[in-house]
Amino acid sequence: MPDDGPRGLLTGPGGQALGDLASRVRVLFAGGKGGVGKTTVASTLALAQARAGRRVLLVSTDPAHNLGHLWGRPLSDHPTRLT
């Protein structure tokens, strides 16, 4: 199996390509219609890049976002450091 990024986060079809893209760009947006996994993909890419030593800012513009649930902690309109 190919190397799918830090600690195998980016497994599955296209994972390596997404990881390669994320490592080459300064800003990356995840978009699509509802229910396609934008939050999951964006969070996974952010975590993989952070584990690779890059500084990461993960932002959701969706008023019904579930980043807090995904990360297991309350989030608000103010930046929150996740370690």
Side-chain angles (χ1 to χ4, degrees):
M1 178 178 278
D3 177 18
D4 291 317
R7 301 187 192 159
L9 286 173
L10 301 173
T11 60
Q16 184 66 42
L18 280 173
D20 291 345
L21 174 65
S23 69
R24 292 191 317 264
V25 298
R26 183 170 165 92
V27 177
L28 181 64
F29 291 91
K33 66 180 211 161
V36 297
K38 296 177 298 293
T39 300
T40 301
V41 168
S43 294
T44 302
L45 288 170
L47 181 57
Q49 291 303 298
R51 287 182 175 172
R54 295 188 73 188
R55 289 180 51 186
V56 175
L57 174 64
L58 177 61
V59 176
S60 176
T61 59
D62 182 354
H65 68 82
N66 62 354
L67 284 175
H69 175 73
L70 185 66
W71 288 93
R73 63 183 302 175
L75 300 177
S76 69
D77 295 342
H78 305 287
T80 303
R81 181 176 298 273
L82 300 173
T83 56

